[in-house]
Amino acid sequence: MPDFSDEVIAARPVWRRTTSGAPSGVDDEMPLHCGGPTLTVDERFELMRARKREMLETRAREREEAEAREAAERRQGRGRNVGDEDEDEEKATERARNDRYAVKLLRQENDAWAGGGSDLGVLG
């Protein structure tokens, strides 16, 4: 292994912040954004308000169109009423499912306390 004690090793160059701060002109410039020009707070606020106003107008127009379509369907007799058969079938199916589940729970309770399990037990 070579002995370097007699030689003076030059220090590597290291970057250090200067005391004067940033170069002149950098503090004065606004950072550039990739999305377009740099906007002030007021300009951003106005842009945001315009976008929201446009969104609300679009929603209102879509709602009016949907209402007009539903009214036209009702006039032609094709609209869905509250008492449609499909809806009644769905409710009947849900009711039957809930009843089966309730009976299952009652049988579990009867098994736990009465020990029988073959009959539904006494209700009430």
Side-chain angles (χ1 to χ4, degrees), residues 92-107:
T93 305
E94 185 70 24
R95 198 175 318 114
R97 188 178 305 125
N98 288 341
D99 290 345
R100 283 194 306 267
Y101 184 65
V103 169
K104 181 179 177 183
L105 291 176
L106 287 172
R107 284 186 180 154

Side-chain angles (χ1 to χ4, degrees), residues 51-113:
R51 286 181 181 167
K52 184 164 184 159
R53 192 172 29 250
E54 181 182 324
M55 181 181 64
L56 292 174
E57 290 171 357
T58 304
R59 284 185 182 170
R61 188 173 45 250
E62 289 173 353
R63 189 179 318 117
E64 290 173 2
E65 290 173 358
E67 290 173 357
R69 258 193 320 268
E70 288 175 6
E73 287 177 357
R74 268 189 249 121
R75 274 185 260 124
Q76 293 176 358
R78 293 185 300 181
R80 274 180 70 100
N81 296 330
V82 178
D84 278 350
E85 293 178 15
D86 295 336
E87 193 169 326
D88 288 342
E89 289 179 17
E90 291 173 8
K91 285 182 180 181
T93 305
E94 185 70 24
R95 198 175 318 114
R97 188 178 305 125
N98 288 341
D99 290 345
R100 283 194 306 267
Y101 184 65
V103 169
K104 181 179 177 183
L105 291 176
L106 287 172
R107 284 186 180 154
Q108 287 177 352
E109 183 177 324
N110 190 29
D111 288 342
W113 294 105

